């Protein structure tokens, strides 16, 4: 029998989350670090910690900081020995890197720490070569990626706490972390850009909510710098830049005490600051592609189909659909409606930006994300969806339904963890659609197989 949420087990959970929310987040962060470090010695096909698209993001660091060039051919030979350096259509200089530079720029302090470690080890007689390529570099860099993801989670808590209780905010932050694809890209594949993307958008939303609806000039510039970082990390996330501009223009219609010219000037400063921050990417495009406005995604086999977006597939397909893989986000999306009780305009603005992201991803030829754990392409939308989740939890708390919320949360976290194990250990396809049996009974089959293997090893 479920007792009142103020007593027993649920009461203790509630009390601890309310009193020490950040401490609980910090413990989970340490858990992510432990999981990553424990996985370092595991055998890998290419012998590298960075992999998949993460290879291209990481390659910027040794190329720029060690070789002082943008010729990635030697990095690709080391990081992807199983592939040809020309596995993608080559650019004019014979190499290619269509991926954004923002993640590498955020990783720079951690890579620099790795360089210091490599120099010390080399000087001490160890066989570590300070060339930017070994584990001495990759481990600190990927720990940096995990750290950015954690800071993003803390920012999500702060965003939610602007409107809701510590309990609702902490639970929303934890679920956005552990019951979605974010946890995978903070432990199994931190070399991808998603943890940095999540952090950048969370920072942008936190500042926007702090400054809204009518920022002053200094605040517009700070927002612009943050917006530039968002675009630097993942170009598709540049759609979020419209958010503060739209919000301020709508607020100006209701305010007669604030001059149009001042706010329009602030919006122009916002755009200028974002453009200046984004300049490193444009310089790289000029060097690699021959134009400051020509991204790397320009080859014939890639493109957008703006008039035929795969919107429903992005959300519900068993091939990495957002809701089919991470049902917690269906609750989060529905919860945005409840955010109306705190702010009438906010759910409409966030819902619109989320819809734009779905449309952009759905229009992309590779809408499923290829080898992807769930809806990885929409990780940048998680900070906004967290507000909907916090609103739903808060609504449930008012109706004394927290035992149900916590029980369902545990189920969805375990569901995601088992799905992660299925995906990581290849019990299900990493690139193609899975079936309902794999998503349900397949979890039990995986556990049975793992137990059988352990039993065979111990015999």
């Amino acid at each position: 029998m479920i007792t009142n949420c103020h007593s027993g087990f649920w009461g203790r959970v509630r009390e601890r989350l309310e009193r020490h929310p950040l401490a609980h987040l910090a413990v989970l962060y340490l858990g992510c670090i432990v999981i990553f470090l424990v996985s370092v010695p595991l055998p890998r096909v290419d012998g590298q910690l960075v992999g998949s698209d993460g290879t291209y993001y990481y390659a910027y660091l040794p190329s720029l900081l060690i070789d002082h060039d943008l010729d990635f051919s030697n990095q690709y030979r080391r990081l992807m020995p199983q592939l040809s350096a020309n596995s993608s259509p080559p650019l004019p200089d014979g190499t290619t890197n269509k991926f954004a530079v923002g993640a590498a720029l955020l990783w720079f302090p951690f890579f620099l720490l790795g360089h210091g470690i490599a120099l010390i080890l080399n000087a001490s007689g160890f066989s570590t070569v300070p060339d930017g390529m070994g584990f001495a570099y990759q481990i600190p860099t990927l720990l940096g990626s995990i750290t950015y993801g954690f800071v993003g989670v803390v920012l999500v808590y702060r965003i939610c706490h602007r409107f809701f209780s510590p309990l609702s905010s902490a639970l929303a932050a934890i679920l956005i972390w552990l019951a979605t694809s974010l946890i995978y890209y903070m432990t199994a594949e931190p070399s991808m850009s998603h943890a940095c993307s999540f952090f950048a958008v969370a920072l942008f939303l936190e500042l926007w909510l702090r400054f809204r609806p009518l920022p002053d000039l200094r605040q517009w510039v700070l927002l612009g710098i943050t917006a530039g970082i968002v675009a630097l990390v993942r170009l598709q996330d540049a759609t979020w830049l419209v958010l503060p501009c739209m919000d301020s223009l709508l607020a100006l219609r209701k305010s007669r005490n604030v001059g149009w010219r001042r706010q329009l000037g602030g919006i122009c400063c916002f755009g200028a600051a974002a453009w200046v921050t984004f300049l490193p990417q444009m310089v790289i495009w000029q060097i690699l592609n021959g134009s400051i406005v020509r991204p790397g995604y320009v080859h014939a086999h890639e493109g957008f189909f703006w008039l035929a977006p795969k919107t429903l597939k992005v959300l519900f397909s068993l091939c990495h659909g957002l809701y089919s893989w991470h049902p917690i986000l269906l609750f989060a999306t529905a919860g945005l409606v409840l955010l109306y009780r705190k702010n009438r305009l906010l759910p409409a603005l966030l819902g619109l930006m989320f819809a734009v992201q779905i449309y952009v991803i759905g229009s992309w030829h590779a809408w499923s994300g290829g080898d992807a754990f769930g809806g990885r392409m929409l990780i940048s939308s998680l900070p906004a969806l967290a507000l909907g989740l916090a609103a739903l939890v808060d609504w449930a708390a008012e109706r004394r339904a927290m035992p149900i919320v916590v029980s369902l949360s545990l189920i969805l976290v375990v569901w995601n963890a088992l799905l992660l194990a299925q995906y990581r250990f290849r019990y299900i396809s990493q690139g193609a659609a899975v079936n309902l049996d794999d998503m349900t009974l397949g979890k039990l089959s995986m556990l049975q197989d793992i137990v059988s293997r352990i039993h065979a090893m111990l015999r």
Side-chain angles (χ1 to χ4, degrees), residues 49 101 147 155 209 221 254 257 297 339 342 358 365 403 428:
L49 296 179
V101 72
T147 301
L155 288 169
L209 289 170
V221 171
K254 300 179 181 180
N257 299 323
Y297 292 90
L339 189 59
K342 299 292 184 178
I358 294 171
H365 80 284
I428 58 176

Side-chain angles (χ1 to χ4, degrees), residues 204 217-232 241 265-280 282:
F204 180 68
L217 186 60
R218 180 188 63 85
Q219 293 169 341
W220 273 120
V221 171
L222 186 56
L223 268 176
I225 293 171
T226 310
I229 295 172
V230 168
L232 272 175
L241 275 64
I267 292 175
C268 290
C269 289
F270 166 80
W275 178 77
V276 170
T277 306
F278 191 71
L279 270 178
M282 300 176 76

Side-chain angles (χ1 to χ4, degrees), residues 138-458:
Q138 293 181 34
I139 291 175
T141 300
L142 301 190
L143 287 175
S145 192
I146 297 169
T147 301
Y148 279 118
F150 167 67
V151 174
V153 172
V154 173
L155 288 169
V156 162
Y157 169 79
R158 288 172 57 89
I159 288 169
C160 295
H161 192 32
R162 290 184 176 277
F163 305 96
F164 304 106
S165 69
L167 174 65
S168 299
S169 304
L171 195 54
I174 290 171
L175 290 174
I176 283 294
W177 189 359
L178 301 185
T180 71
S181 54
L182 179 62
I183 183 63
Y184 179 84
Y185 292 103
M186 283 180 61
T187 53
E189 289 195 76
S191 64
M192 300 284 274
S193 65
H194 298 301
C196 293
S197 170
F198 175 80
F199 157 76
V201 175
L203 178 61
F204 180 68
L205 291 180
E206 161 66 13
L207 293 177
W208 168 62
L209 289 170
R210 184 189 305 176
F211 300 153
R212 76 183 298 266
L214 298 169
D216 60 32
L217 186 60
R218 180 188 63 85
Q219 293 169 341
W220 273 120
V221 171
L222 186 56
L223 268 176
I225 293 171
T226 310
I229 295 172
V230 168
L232 272 175
V233 175
R234 287 184 72 84
L235 188 58
Q236 74 180 58
D237 295 343
T239 58
W240 289 100
L241 275 64
V242 178
L243 186 60
C245 304
M246 185 186 308
D247 186 32
S248 291
L249 291 175
L250 290 172
L252 276 174
R253 295 181 59 188
K254 300 179 181 180
S255 176
R256 298 181 180 180
N257 299 323
V258 181
W260 277 81
R261 290 185 180 180
R262 181 178 178 183
Q263 283 303 306
L264 290 177
I267 292 175
C268 290
C269 289
F270 166 80
W275 178 77
V276 170
T277 306
F278 191 71
L279 270 178
Q281 185 65 74
M282 300 176 76
V283 171
I284 289 173
W285 285 347
Q286 176 66 45
I287 295 171
L288 293 182
N289 306 344
S291 171
I292 63 171
V293 294
R294 187 168 181 255
Y297 292 90
V298 295
H299 304 300
H301 68 288
E302 297 178 329
F304 289 90
F305 300 91
W306 299 111
L307 299 180
K310 304 293 191 297
T311 304
L312 292 179
K313 288 187 176 181
V314 168
L315 296 176
F316 297 104
S317 172
L318 289 177
C319 186
H320 313 142
L322 187 71
Y323 296 146
S324 57
W325 279 59
H326 312 297
I328 189 68
L329 296 179
L330 194 58
F331 292 100
T333 306
L336 285 177
V337 177
L338 296 173
L339 189 59
Y340 179 84
R341 302 189 304 165
K342 299 292 184 178
N343 186 290
R344 293 185 178 185
L345 184 59
L346 195 56
L349 289 172
L350 294 176
L352 177 61
M353 292 298 99
F354 179 46
V356 170
Q357 280 284 305
I358 294 171
Y359 172 70
V360 171
I361 298 304
S363 300
W364 179 238
H365 80 284
W367 57 268
S368 67
D371 290 351
F373 179 67
R376 70 177 180 91
M377 307 282 275
L378 286 163
I379 282 181
S380 65
S381 295
L382 295 185
L385 293 178
L387 270 171
L389 199 54
L392 190 61
V393 172
D394 200 67
W395 177 85
E398 291 176 358
R399 286 152 181 78
R400 298 183 178 272
M402 283 305 293
I404 297 175
V405 170
V406 174
S407 300
L408 182 59
S409 298
L410 289 173
I411 291 172
L412 292 175
V413 168
V414 171
W415 167 281
N416 198 57
L418 292 174
L419 189 59
L420 189 155
Q422 285 178 285
Y423 179 87
R424 188 60 176 170
F425 298 116
R426 298 182 182 274
Y427 283 90
I428 58 176
S429 172
Q430 294 188 329
V434 297
N435 56 53
L436 288 176
D437 285 343
D438 289 334
M439 296 285 280
T440 53
L441 297 178
K443 292 177 171 56
L444 298 177
S445 299
M446 176 192 67
L447 292 175
Q448 183 180 14
D449 182 63
I450 291 174
V451 170
S452 298
R453 292 188 182 193
I454 295 175
H455 179 71
M457 291 173 60
L458 297 176

